[in-house]
Amino acid sequence: MKSENQLQLDGETVWFAEGETLLDVARRSGREIPTLCHDPRLEPVGACRTCLVEVAGSQRLLPSCATPAVAGQVVVTASDRIERYRSSLMALYLTDHPEAVDESRGRDELLEMADRWDAPRDWGRMTPIRSNRSDDRNPYIDFDASACIVCGRCTRYCDEVEGVSAITLAARGSRTTISTVDRLSLLDTTCELCGGCIDTCPTGAMAEKGPLRLADLAQSALSKVRTTCNFCGVGCQIDLNVDPEANDGRGRVVRVTSPEPGTTTNDGNLCVKGRFAYDFIDHPDRLTTPLVRGDDGELHQASWDEALELAARGLSRVADAHGPDALGFVSSSRCTVEENYLVQKLARAVFHTNNVHQCAAT
Amino acid sequence: MTNSIGEIRDADFLFVIGSNTSEAHPIIAMEMKRAVQRGATLVVADPRAIWMTSIAEMHLQIRPGSDVWLLNAMAHVIIEEDLVDRNFIAEHTEGFETVREAVARYSPEAAEEFTGVPAVDIRWAARRYATTEKAGIYYTLGITEHSHGTDNVYALANLVLMTGHLGKPSAGLNPLRGQNNVQGANDAGATPIFYPGYQRVDDPEVRAKYERAWGTALSPDPGMNLNVMLKAVGTQIRGLFVMGEDILMSEPNVARLEAGMNDLDFLVTQEPFLNETARFADVIFPSAVYAEKDGVFTNSERRVQMVRKAVEPPGQARADWQILTALARACGAAWSYTGAAEIYAEMAEHAPKFAGIRHERIEHERPGGLSGLQWPCPDEHHPGTPILHEGGVLRGKGLFQAVEYRPPMELADEEYGLLLSTGRTLYHYNAATQTRRETGLTLKQPEPFVEIHPRDAKRRGVETDDFVDVSTRRGRIRVRAIISRQVRPGCIWIPLHFREARANLLTNDVGDRVTGTAEYKVCAAEVEKAVAAEAGSARFPGSYYRLDGPGPGD
């Protein structure tokens, strides 16, 4: 770190790294600065103005998310002036915002922030005039314009991270909304249904249609289990949101969310399969008992003991009659490391053959 | 991967070859997109125009199977123009002279004839790769699923070694693993030649170690690889155990495999769903899916990460490790595993590469660090290895391997005038037992299709949305035709996900000489119009590349 990389933060001398913004420095130094339009994965735009700070030499308050740290800066993150600005801003946002959080749509950071900073809620009510696209037949992504604060996180995510630019800010002024070309359904656009717009939305304006169908289910009743996605080889970390009471207490995965940006390899991102393809877990087609082929040539339900006995006998008979190398073991790159270890151990230590290979080999 | 996924965004040059990254590895594609936005140069070598080519500086649209020509020609340019890293070659490699001699005849001008890529583009790409410090190569099955897949990888490794783009941040050779635990399955020894941790089965010392550990005599003979094994099904192979693969969907030339399955004495499978292979099974064990069990998956960057049980499996379904333990006991072995952590610990105890990894170490996220641990991780205090070959090649000297072009086993001829490649799409996953049970994905991509170039469609009287019969020497399927300039003239492309039109009835099961990996990416095929489409009957295929078809709503 260069010795000149220091600035004054609320009277304290702090270091900063090349490329850091005032928001980065302040948060790293333990300051609490609210943001709405900020997402570490996106280029800063300074649109929501909630992260304003005082910087000596500037008459206006500056958005800390979009202001680079510069040596010698004198920065104040908490003052009456900042408080006044913030609270007015939040009050303005609240005038056409839902008064209570709709839990089925996820968190509403604006309402949380208003509580935390004690923003006035008596500045009158306006009816939002932003248009919805409630006729969009896409299966996953719902947009509720009334909860939208036009921070542009979703559109910027779509541009900058997913790179498909399927959604865009449309119309002007208080009619500004999130839309698509010709108001097409997302299914008919370049959208790849990654759901990143839902993930980055701070207010639940973008929400997942699946859990909306389970509307009576409060998000707070869900438990989250961190695990690794079971599709491709990227190894995204995902949080399975489980309704523990469902299925007579077996539990049911009702949505998948991504961990905070910056904490895992996937940096808060997921693809369409990782985020939305979980219906199969609870699908009625799942096999629930062992099956064995009967003399009639059909598969029949069997007990575990019966099936295990039959399998052991069938494999052993082949080995006895034709030697161990007449057996082949196909293991699976879809299963865990431990399970693959056991398949090769079964082949090698129990049946004495090295005829074992995982499915991705061909 | 010799690098980590997080390094991709800082790369200055990305050479993506044989990888449809945005569809097969969408999150790695996001990292690449980020690099390109930052100003990195992306070069894509692929027979198809894919999403990634839309943001690439250059698309080298090679003929399927001509990779060695392209890569040797790039090596030719780098040597001819003296862009090699002499110090790296001298200090860290051996065998450079053999490659220098071999690539001498692979001039870009000669390569243009074989690859269809203009010589000037090959020269440009080679120069940019060689002269950019943070230059990474990323490849997937477009490189390996050939009868000369190993040659393709050697040819890539030669480029890496001669430029010294190895063992540094954002510079290396990076195979992107196609499935969640391809890396981990290999690591665990589910291969015919290695015990866990890549310890050879024909090494007497290693075998003795495992004989002591497992308390039993072990076979000294390397086993059959999957390709050889499945071709021997019904003859030399009389009994088969299959966990978690629908071999009659996913293996090449499945008609031949099915014929063999008829002569099999005994088949056991472990699956969450009935599948094509179930038709031949004598016993099927109902298995849990990932959300219903504990364990670890190891991703493309060698990162060992936890899989955690979130819900109980339905009915009597059990985790595969539980089924395997019970099966071994039924076979007379005294296995008593009660949890995945215990099994991992047993594996790591005898495999030096993972010796420092235990569930206990990766159970909790480390402050400031990412999840899991990347192997090699030789002891319990080792922090893991994000970049392989840092400070020198692991085997001591990187070995150059001269390779010569060998054509694919089948090329287009009078009878089968087109070249077929198969692959994955964004909206489905392999045999699609999971993704086709997801209503949204099925809405986005409901039915099988073939992409065919307008020129080839016109010659065959095929119009958009027609049903066509696609045939090869091995089989025939009926699919919807999508007329698209995404494929080269003379080439067609079919996704592998649809059981009603199994792409693997068509594919060639010839294997690579070393790995046995089959030639899914190239075989001779023909297309014939079967049923004309009723106007507007086609459902959206899920890709916006329908360049020559009507747009949505037309």
Side-chain angles (χ1 to χ4, degrees):
Chain A
M1 211 176 287
K2 287 187 209 162
S3 60
E4 61 266 33
N5 280 2
Q6 43 180 290
L7 54 79
Q8 295 290 314
L9 187 73
D10 299 325
E12 182 190 342
T13 302
V14 296
W15 297 90
F16 63 90
E18 215 65 54
E20 279 192 308
T21 63
L22 290 182
L23 180 67
D24 296 330
V25 178
R27 284 193 169 164
R28 199 165 37 68
S29 310
R31 303 299 190 281
E32 188 183 3
I33 295 184
T35 54
L36 287 171
C37 71
H38 176 74
D39 180 321
R41 295 167 291 187
L42 307 176
E43 291 296 319
V45 290
C48 77
R49 317 303 286 182
T50 51
C51 69
L52 295 173
V53 293
E54 292 182 34
V55 179
S58 167
Q59 294 206 329
R60 300 167 53 217
L61 296 177
L62 297 179
S64 60
C65 71
T67 309
V70 174
Q73 261 168 336
V74 179
V75 181
V76 172
T77 67
S79 69
D80 286 349
R81 186 177 170 216
I82 293 170
E83 287 269 313
R84 208 164 55 242
Y85 264 83
R86 252 180 214 158
S87 126
S88 310
L89 261 172
M90 288 179 202
L92 284 169
Y93 277 123
L94 291 169
T95 53
D96 67 347
H97 199 76
E99 288 175 273
V101 61
D102 176 353
E103 271 212 58
S104 69
R105 306 190 71 88
R107 290 175 58 189
D108 188 326
E109 291 173 33
L110 173 60
L111 291 177
E112 289 170 20
M113 192 182 289
D115 285 344
R116 163 68 186 83
W117 300 91
D118 207 16
R121 299 186 186 235
D122 53 356
W123 284 31
R125 294 290 305 163
M126 293 197 303
T127 309
I129 52 172
R130 285 183 283 279
S131 63
N132 271 317
R133 275 175 301 111
S134 47
D135 55 340
D136 186 341
R137 69 185 201 289
N138 93 76
Y140 295 133
I141 299 166
D142 184 74
F143 174 59
D144 174 8
S146 73
C148 179
I149 55 167
V150 205
C151 66
R153 267 162 75 164
C154 55
T155 54
R156 286 182 290 134
Y157 185 94
C158 199
D159 283 342
E160 297 174 25
V161 180
E162 175 66 345
V164 299
S165 305
I167 51 175
T168 182
L169 292 174
R172 284 168 187 273
S174 52
R175 291 185 187 277
T176 309
T177 189
I178 312 298
S179 193
T180 59
V181 173
D182 285 345
R183 299 186 77 254
L184 287 170
S185 161
L186 287 175
L187 280 184
D188 302 327
T189 68
T190 54
C191 174
E192 295 184 342
L193 298 173
C194 74
C197 49
I198 298 171
D199 177 74
T200 192
C201 178
T203 58
M206 292 281 177
E208 193 176 329
K209 283 186 177 175
L212 292 178
R213 291 197 293 268
L214 309 164
D216 53 340
L217 198 66
Q219 300 292 309
S220 52
L222 303 179
S223 59
K224 278 190 182 181
V225 178
R226 175 72 48 89
T227 191
T228 305
C229 178
N230 99 136
F231 291 110
C232 79
V234 177
C236 293
Q237 296 298 287
I238 55 177
D239 288 331
L240 299 179
N241 293 221
V242 176
D243 173 4
E245 305 298 324
N247 290 331
D248 299 324
R250 256 196 318 112
R252 180 172 179 201
V253 176
V254 295
R255 71 185 292 196
V256 175
T257 48
S258 48
E260 285 286 296
T263 60
T264 66
T265 294
N266 44 312
D267 197 17
N269 304 313
L270 289 176
C271 76
V272 58
K273 294 191 288 285
R275 194 182 302 277
F276 295 119
Y278 50 81
D279 277 1
F280 72 91
I281 299 170
D282 209 38
H283 200 278
D285 291 349
R286 284 289 301 276
L287 293 174
T288 54
T289 68
L291 299 172
V292 301
R293 195 165 300 278
D295 295 334
D296 59 358
E298 300 295 319
L299 289 167
H300 299 277
Q301 295 193 348
S303 72
W304 271 101
D305 284 346
E306 203 181 332
L308 285 165
E309 165 66 27
L310 204 63
R313 196 159 8 112
L315 293 172
S316 301
R317 256 192 209 147
V318 171
D320 292 344
H322 304 283
D325 289 338
L327 287 174
F329 291 80
V330 182
S331 193
S332 181
S333 59
R334 309 300 316 284
C335 295
T336 64
V337 169
E338 293 83 353
E339 288 158 349
N340 279 280
Y341 174 79
L342 291 188
V343 172
Q344 61 90 38
K345 187 175 175 183
L346 181 72
R348 291 180 166 131
V350 180
F351 286 101
H352 307 285
T353 178
N354 286 313
N355 288 346
V356 54
H357 217 168
Q358 55 118 345
C359 65
T362 47
Chain B
M1 293 176 70
T2 66
N3 298 109
S4 295
I5 293 167
E7 296 165 40
I8 296 173
R9 61 176 66 180
D10 298 320
D12 292 322
F13 186 91
L14 304 119
F15 184 42
V16 173
I17 180 164
S19 160
N20 184 1
T21 322
S22 71
E23 299 204 59
H25 299 89
I27 303 305
I28 284 179
M30 285 184 187
E31 295 292 322
M32 292 176 174
K33 293 170 189 176
R34 187 179 291 257
V36 170
Q37 280 206 330
R38 235 195 59 246
T41 301
L42 170 67
V43 171
V44 175
D46 201 293
R48 281 169 89 214
I50 52 177
W51 193 98
M52 298 306 290
T53 58
S54 72
I55 58 165
E57 186 110 356
M58 184 171 283
H59 176 202
L60 309 173
Q61 193 165 11
I62 62 170
R63 289 199 179 94
S66 66
D67 310 73
V68 165
W69 259 108
L70 172 70
L71 300 172
N72 275 358
M74 287 174 68
H76 177 102
V77 172
I78 291 168
I79 292 170
E80 184 185 61
E81 302 190 2
D82 198 20
L83 303 174
V84 298
D85 183 337
R86 289 207 192 115
N87 290 338
F88 188 89
I89 293 173
E91 277 175 47
H92 298 297
T93 72
E94 53 190 302
F96 176 59
E97 282 309 314
T98 62
V99 170
R100 181 203 289 273
E101 281 165 31
V103 302
R105 74 179 188 88
Y106 289 82
S107 70
E109 289 69 26
E112 180 171 333
E113 269 182 55
F114 281 85
T115 61
V117 177
V120 59
D121 290 354
I122 297 175
R123 285 187 184 278
W124 183 89
R127 285 178 197 136
R128 286 298 288 266
Y129 172 68
T131 56
T132 309
E133 193 180 342
K134 288 188 169 183
I137 296 177
Y138 306 86
Y139 70 90
T140 315
L141 303 177
I143 280 293
T144 53
E145 286 182 349
H146 291 278
S147 54
H148 50 268
T150 305
D151 293 347
N152 289 347
V153 175
Y154 284 151
L156 285 171
N158 291 338
L159 290 176
V160 170
L161 292 176
M162 72 178 59
T163 55
H165 290 332
L166 187 67
K168 301 175 204 164
S170 312
L173 186 58
N174 298 297
L176 312 179
R177 304 298 190 183
Q179 292 163 83
N180 52 324
N181 200 32
V182 173
Q183 186 67 57
N186 283 325
D187 297 350
T191 101
I193 52 170
F194 294 122
Y195 290 111
Y198 305 95
Q199 306 176 84
R200 292 197 67 96
V201 295
D202 51 7
D203 178 333
E205 274 181 42
V206 171
R207 191 170 72 251
K209 177 171 82 173
Y210 276 97
E211 286 183 335
R212 278 194 304 279
W214 292 344
T216 184
L218 297 171
S219 168
D221 308 320
M224 296 179 190
N225 67 40
L226 189 56
N227 191 307
V228 173
M229 190 196 295
L230 294 181
K231 282 176 182 160
V233 158
T235 53
Q236 213 178 330
I237 293 291
R238 312 295 317 169
L240 196 62
F241 167 92
V242 182
M243 172 177 81
E245 186 192 6
D246 190 356
I247 54 176
L248 289 179
M249 270 293 284
S250 298
E251 293 297 326
N253 192 6
V254 283
R256 169 167 160 176
L257 177 56
E258 277 199 46
M261 301 278 279
N262 279 319
D263 295 327
L264 201 57
D265 294 340
F266 199 71
L267 172 65
V268 184
T269 69
Q270 294 183 187
E271 287 292 338
F273 295 99
L274 284 181
N275 57 22
E276 294 297 305
T277 308
R279 287 188 278 126
F280 294 87
D282 295 290
V283 177
I284 302 173
F285 295 121
S287 61
V289 300
Y290 79 112
E292 299 159 352
K293 63 186 178 185
D294 293 317
V296 300
F297 293 153
T298 306
N299 76 353
S300 297
E301 50 173 0
R302 298 163 282 104
R303 188 182 297 279
V304 181
Q305 302 186 110
M306 294 297 300
V307 176
R308 295 185 182 87
K309 182 173 179 171
V311 293
E312 292 293 330
Q316 299 177 37
R318 296 182 187 173
D320 286 297
W321 66 263
Q322 291 173 309
I323 301 172
L324 290 161
T325 303
L327 180 59
R329 290 177 69 87
C331 295
W335 290 13
S336 58
Y337 302 109
T338 55
E342 180 188 353
I343 301 167
Y344 195 92
E346 178 181 308
M347 182 188 81
E349 192 184 331
H350 303 291
K353 280 188 168 62
F354 325 120
I357 305 179
R358 292 290 185 280
H359 279 210
E360 296 74 42
R361 272 193 82 186
I362 56 175
E363 228 161 35
H364 304 287
E365 275 157 71
R366 285 154 296 146
L370 298 175
S371 58
L373 277 169
Q374 286 169 281
W375 66 258
C377 179
D379 64 66
E380 59 185 314
H381 303 294
H382 194 281
T385 309
I387 303 177
L388 278 184
H389 312 292
E390 213 169 3
V393 179
L394 283 176
R395 74 180 281 275
K397 296 274 186 190
L399 184 60
F400 279 100
Q401 300 265 7
V403 292
E404 297 287 351
Y405 169 75
R406 289 182 294 126
M409 289 306 287
E410 283 187 0
L411 290 170
D413 54 27
E414 280 184 11
E415 203 179 344
Y416 296 97
L418 300 165
L419 281 183
L420 164 69
S421 298
T422 63
R424 190 187 289 170
T425 70
L426 174 62
Y427 299 100
H428 288 297
Y429 187 82
N430 292 10
T433 43
Q434 297 179 345
T435 51
R436 289 193 81 191
R437 289 188 167 89
E438 167 59 44
T439 44
L441 296 177
T442 302
L443 186 63
K444 186 77 182 174
Q445 190 170 71
E447 61 179 359
F449 58 89
V450 57
E451 290 174 0
I452 182 169
H453 191 274
R455 187 200 74 176
D456 299 314
K458 193 172 176 191
R459 284 181 187 170
R460 289 161 178 79
V462 172
E463 291 176 46
T464 283
D465 297 344
D466 283 353
F467 285 101
V468 295
D469 286 335
V470 183
S471 54
T472 67
R473 290 188 171 80
R474 291 154 295 278
R476 171 185 295 257
I477 62 174
R478 182 164 295 183
V479 291
R480 184 83 76 174
I482 292 179
I483 297 179
S484 166
R485 287 197 165 83
Q486 198 174 345
V487 287
R488 287 175 56 99
C491 295
I492 56 175
W493 188 91
I494 294 179
L496 49 77
H497 311 299
F498 297 89
R499 63 191 293 187
E500 63 272 37
R502 282 183 285 168
N504 282 318
L505 283 165
L506 306 175
T507 49
N508 193 345
D509 54 2
V510 60
D512 176 82
R513 287 188 293 199
V514 178
T515 62
T517 298
E519 197 147 62
Y520 292 97
K521 296 301 184 195
V522 193
C523 70
E526 194 42 76
V527 169
E528 201 180 339
K529 181 164 171 166
V531 186
E534 283 173 46
S537 65
R539 290 174 289 176
F540 192 61
S543 163
Y544 83 95
Y545 291 104
R546 287 186 90 188
L547 300 181
D548 295 287
D554 280 9

